[in-house]
Amino acid sequence: MDWPLVLLLAPSLGMDAFAVALAVGAATPPGSRRPLFRLSFHFGLFQFLMPMLGWLTGATMRQFIEAYDHWVAFLLLAWVGARMVRSAWDKSEATLTSDPTRGISLVVLSIATSIDALAVGLSLAMLQVNLWLPSLVIGVVAAGMTLTGMLLGRRLKDVWGRGAEFVGGVILIGIGLRVLWTHLVV
């Protein structure tokens, strides 16, 4: 695979991770660096692994996955986004300290942001491309974009408070709607 193509592909795949990290950064408790590491590591890992999984799956499963991948991404992002919106409106201290970089939310977000990378792997399998190095670049770029998004999201939270968590949840739902729009209408 040509390096200019890899260098264009990696940030393109990392844009969803960046946008989600921006929203999640606004919802994470301040102080700890662990959420930064967890989200960056998992998003980078999933962005690295999903093209390989898609490549291994190859053309045989493509027709089955393409039929509903956009629905899966939408539902996952909408679910986490709705939880963030609800948390922003809930005045209890328990929701203020909730951390979307833990547990099932972390897995859901990691899968939702890497479904496009799975599709890329499916496409590259047809071209018979060696995917190890491009996948590594995609994963590292996604991890870096995630870290940047988280740091910016935390700054937004410092300025906007709970409103940033609400806006972050709405952004996640919007990203999910965009995924549906691009697959169903365009």
Side-chain angles (χ1 to χ4, degrees):
M1 179 168 231
D2 295 336
W3 277 106
L5 183 59
V6 171
L7 295 176
L8 288 173
L9 181 63
S12 299
L13 290 173
M15 289 308 290
D16 281 349
F18 174 79
V20 169
L22 188 66
V24 171
T28 55
S32 176
R33 293 184 181 176
R34 287 183 177 151
L36 297 170
F37 172 77
R38 276 192 302 267
L39 198 69
S40 298
F41 176 78
H42 282 87
F43 278 15
L45 179 65
F46 273 71
Q47 288 281 355
F48 166 73
L49 292 175
M50 289 298 242
M52 293 189 169
L53 179 62
W55 189 86
L56 289 173
T57 305
T60 58
M61 296 296 289
R62 183 177 181 168
Q63 63 191 11
F64 301 113
I65 294 170
E66 281 183 335
Y68 63 87
D69 66 342
H70 49 283
W71 287 104
V72 171
F74 166 71
L75 291 172
L76 295 174
L77 289 168
W79 178 71
V80 174
R83 287 184 61 200
M84 288 173 63
V85 167
R86 187 182 72 220
S87 175
W89 286 104
D90 190 349
K91 302 295 185 210
S92 71
E93 186 65 26
T95 59
L96 182 62
T97 60
S98 66
D99 185 356
T101 68
R102 291 178 170 256
I104 192 70
S105 292
L106 177 60
V107 174
V108 166
L109 289 173
S110 298
I111 292 169
T113 58
S114 62
I115 287 177
D116 288 347
L118 177 76
V120 166
L122 286 167
S123 301
L124 294 178
M126 293 180 192
L127 300 174
Q128 299 178 352
V129 172
N130 183 353
L131 204 56
W132 285 102
L133 200 51
S135 289
L136 182 62
V137 171
I138 289 167
V140 169
V141 168
M145 291 177 77
T146 301
L147 180 61
T148 302
M150 286 281 289
L151 292 171
L152 287 173
R154 282 187 166 185
R155 288 194 182 249
L156 288 176
K157 184 175 185 171
D158 291 343
V159 175
W160 291 0
R162 283 181 173 257
E165 186 174 4
F166 175 80
V167 170
V170 171
I171 288 171
L172 289 182
I173 294 168
I175 291 169
L177 289 171
R178 181 186 58 87
V179 168
L180 275 182
W181 177 263
T182 58
H183 282 84
L184 296 177
V185 178
V186 176

